[in-house]
Amino acid sequence: MGNPMEPAAVEPGDEAHLVRLAQAGDKDAFQELIRQHQHGVFTLALRLVNDREQAADIAQDAFIRAWRGLPRFRGDAAFKTWIHRITVNAAWTFKKRAKRHLASPLDDASPLADPTLSGNLERAGENLELRERLRAALDQLPRPQRTVVVLKDIYGWSHGEIAEALGITISAAKVRLHRAHHRLRDHLGGER
Amino acid sequence: MKVLPRRECGQIRSRISEVVLGDEQLPPEGERHVGRCLKCQAEIAQFRTIDRGFAALRGEVATAPADLVKRVMHELDRVPVPWFRRPVPVSVSAASAVAVTATVILALRRRQVTA
């Protein structure tokens, strides 16, 4: 039985059809796309800002931007990739608007540790402990560093994609990632 | 066997994160050094632990708020749909098709008369 938290699997053809309908102005089709991608978009936003309310606002903003931008979506990338890029941009804009909320390091009450999370929770034990430690370490990273770590190490984006999304050079993305990795190592108990 | 100076050991260690977490490779002399350097081996072990942590995080999905879809759709209702994305009524489509067909037929007839 599938995980109830996981979005339903979508056939690529079905999704392309929904995208075409939405591009033509069909809001029902777009609503279906939102349903299918809401958890993924929300999870990404939550990882970037570590605050459920802000993540919900960012997800909402991302879907509205997607609706407006749909006529320009050519389908070169998957819809998921495209909406994730928009989410990163929305989080970036949000950060500028609400900087004071986003700079604070977070404590054990990490929203990604809440009971609505799914995935590997059933696989308790060492993975769970490691995950919690890593999450706490990620929370202590400065936002720009956390963003590149989330995009590279959790979502598998290339340095080029990260640089493009964040409006920085590839070298800057690499430097941020390098520094972030070493900070994580330090937070997790490595030597300085 | 050549023993790397401390400075070079530090250089290798500074690249280990890219080797373990990225797609970089150490040169052969670097690998040989790591094989006998406990500090570098400890560094590798630490980054492998981080890598396992990332793998565990990748499987997580947070549940979006129950009202997210509703919120978005409510906002979209306030966004006017541009004219080029509005669905065309069937009557208008049919009328357009008839007009185009008639124009083509007339053009063909004119060409025949001229010839």
Side-chain angles (χ1 to χ4, degrees):
Chain A
M1 193 174 156
N3 190 320
M5 303 295 186
E6 290 280 0
V10 187
E11 292 294 322
D14 294 346
E15 183 164 279
H17 182 59
L18 285 174
V19 168
R20 277 196 299 275
L21 289 174
Q23 283 178 318
D26 185 335
K27 282 188 178 171
D28 290 339
F30 190 65
Q31 185 170 339
E32 186 53 33
L33 286 169
I34 300 172
R35 278 212 183 89
Q36 289 168 4
H37 291 278
Q38 59 174 327
H39 301 301
V41 166
F42 178 72
T43 301
L44 172 57
L46 189 52
R47 281 178 170 143
L48 294 173
V49 299
N50 206 16
D51 180 291
R52 289 189 66 86
E53 274 186 36
Q54 289 174 9
D57 287 345
I58 289 167
Q60 178 180 330
D61 188 25
F63 283 119
I64 291 166
R65 288 181 188 207
W67 171 254
R68 290 185 176 135
L70 261 176
R72 295 187 300 278
F73 176 62
R74 291 173 303 167
D76 297 340
F79 182 77
K80 179 183 166 184
T81 309
W82 185 68
I83 188 72
H84 279 196
R85 274 191 210 138
I86 293 173
T87 306
V88 172
N89 286 333
W92 205 243
T93 312
F94 192 90
K95 188 196 111 180
K96 286 180 191 162
R97 283 203 311 259
K99 212 169 185 176
R100 63 194 169 89
H101 293 299
L102 302 175
S104 56
L106 292 153
D107 55 19
D108 294 344
S110 171
L112 266 169
D114 76 18
T116 61
L117 266 181
S118 68
N120 296 332
L121 280 185
E122 64 274 17
R123 282 189 242 149
E126 64 176 51
N127 256 6
L128 185 61
E129 191 208 331
L130 173 60
R131 213 164 58 197
E132 293 313 313
R133 283 171 56 214
L134 182 56
R135 199 168 8 238
L138 277 171
D139 289 348
Q140 293 183 46
L141 290 180
R143 285 299 297 297
Q145 290 186 11
R146 188 167 75 196
T147 301
V148 291
V149 168
V150 165
L151 297 178
K152 181 77 172 70
D153 296 313
I154 300 180
Y155 285 87
W157 287 27
S158 69
H159 291 114
E161 287 170 325
I162 294 169
E164 193 185 336
L166 302 183
I168 58 177
T169 62
I170 291 178
S171 303
K174 285 182 177 176
V175 168
R176 273 187 203 176
L177 191 68
H178 179 84
R179 288 181 182 158
H181 285 157
H182 283 256
R183 272 193 189 222
L184 285 178
R185 189 272 318 268
D186 291 344
H187 284 309
L188 288 172
E191 62 179 56
R192 283 178 188 275
Chain B
M1 184 180 279
K2 184 189 166 198
V3 177
L4 286 176
R6 181 176 291 198
R7 187 175 60 83
E8 290 182 33
C9 173
Q11 284 171 348
I12 289 171
R13 250 188 299 154
S14 75
R15 287 182 58 191
I16 282 175
S17 61
E18 278 80 30
V19 173
V20 176
L21 299 172
D23 48 13
E24 277 199 25
Q25 281 192 319
L26 285 177
E29 65 270 21
E31 285 188 11
R32 279 196 295 277
H33 167 79
V34 168
R36 59 178 189 275
C37 176
L38 293 179
K39 276 191 170 182
C40 285
Q41 288 169 16
E43 187 89 344
I44 287 176
Q46 285 169 344
F47 282 115
R48 283 195 177 142
T49 302
I50 293 174
D51 195 32
R52 282 206 313 278
F54 284 141
L57 287 178
R58 274 177 219 130
E60 291 185 336
V61 180
T63 304
D67 64 345
L68 180 62
V69 178
K70 203 172 153 189
R71 278 170 57 180
V72 176
M73 295 315 292
H74 178 71
E75 282 300 311
L76 289 192
D77 285 339
R78 293 163 47 180
V79 178
V81 180
W83 64 268
F84 54 85
R85 287 177 74 187
R86 285 181 203 146
V88 181
V90 176
S91 55
V92 175
S93 305
S96 305
V98 169
V100 169
T101 311
T103 309
V104 170
I105 291 171
L106 281 175
L108 288 174
R109 279 196 181 167
R110 238 181 231 179
R111 188 180 284 180
Q112 281 173 349
V113 169
T114 315

